[in-house]
Amino acid sequence: DNDSTEVSVSPTTLTFSSGNWSTVQWITLTGKDDNVSDDNQSTLLTLTPDSNGGDSKYDNVSLAQTLTVTTTDNDTVGLVVSKDNATVDERSGTDNFTVRLQSQPTDNVTLVLTVSDDNESSVSPSSLMFSPDNWSIAQTVVVSGVVDRFVDGSQNSTITVASDNSTSDSKYDGLSDNLTVIT
């Protein structure tokens, strides 16, 4: 096969003899999970006679047969955010949440965190970087309340976690999720 990262073949060799030449021999193809959102992949399998076999009539490479196998991708691009809401006190309160990618990117992905009302809350860090190696490791974001001089009761703001679109893995462009902060 020409892409062993997508499909495995078993057995890799079939032997036909004068005693079993008419008996069907089965080949099992098994898709491999790769954690990458790379769409459905086609793999070309080639069955080629072994020129070292006992019957030279079957040594002809023109007897080779090919089969195209499609492996259906089960991975999707997305963010995994640990919660939908955070609550902080504006004087000294903090809360946190984690973020990770849902599938493995083929290039680094930078996520930028912005707050819709930075007079009420802030986030740290303001960006997260995921690589093909650390994409599944959750990174922690701390949300802090911001002290203001107003008696304004509880206020809602939104934290947006979004791709900065600088990656060469274009599937991650436009990736975004929101979290509501109550201060």
Side-chain angles (χ1 to χ4, degrees):
D1 71 284
N2 69 353
D3 191 350
S4 61
T5 64
E6 291 293 333
V7 65
S8 66
V9 179
S10 177
T12 57
T13 303
L14 301 176
T15 302
F16 291 94
S17 67
S18 58
N20 75 349
W21 67 269
S22 64
T23 303
V24 173
Q25 294 189 39
W26 292 95
I27 298 172
T28 302
L29 306 175
T30 305
K32 291 185 176 180
D33 192 6
D34 59 8
N35 295 319
V36 178
S37 178
D38 57 358
D39 301 321
N40 295 346
Q41 297 292 309
S42 293
T43 303
L44 183 66
L45 301 176
T46 304
L47 299 166
T48 306
D50 183 357
S51 61
N52 295 324
D55 191 338
S56 62
K57 293 178 200 149
Y58 291 95
D59 290 349
N60 189 343
V61 176
S62 67
L63 295 174
Q65 298 291 307
T66 59
L67 171 70
T68 301
V69 177
T70 302
T71 306
T72 304
D73 192 16
N74 65 344
D75 301 297
T76 57
V77 170
L79 295 174
V80 178
V81 180
S82 64
K83 58 173 89 172
D84 296 327
N85 298 298
T87 303
V88 295
D89 181 291
E90 71 178 33
R91 286 187 257 327
S92 60
T94 62
D95 198 351
N96 62 57
F97 63 95
T98 61
V99 179
R100 69 175 180 83
L101 299 181
Q102 191 169 320
S103 62
Q104 183 178 8
T106 59
D107 187 26
N108 292 343
V109 174
T110 300
L111 301 176
V112 177
L113 293 92
T114 56
V115 180
S116 64
D117 187 351
D118 58 5
N119 292 317
E120 294 294 332
S121 59
S122 65
V123 294
S124 178
S126 59
S127 67
L128 304 170
M129 198 279 293
F130 292 93
S131 70
D133 296 327
N134 77 348
W135 66 273
S136 64
I137 300 169
Q139 296 185 35
T140 301
V141 177
V142 176
V143 182
S144 301
V146 174
V147 177
D148 60 26
R149 293 174 282 167
F150 306 105
V151 178
D152 53 3
S154 293
Q155 297 293 311
N156 291 347
S157 56
T158 302
I159 297 173
T160 301
V161 181
S163 171
D164 74 350
N165 299 335
S166 65
T167 182
S168 67
D169 190 341
S170 63
K171 289 182 179 239
Y172 289 84
D173 289 348
L175 190 61
S176 180
D177 201 350
N178 293 319
L179 176 86
T180 301
V181 179
I182 303 166
T183 312

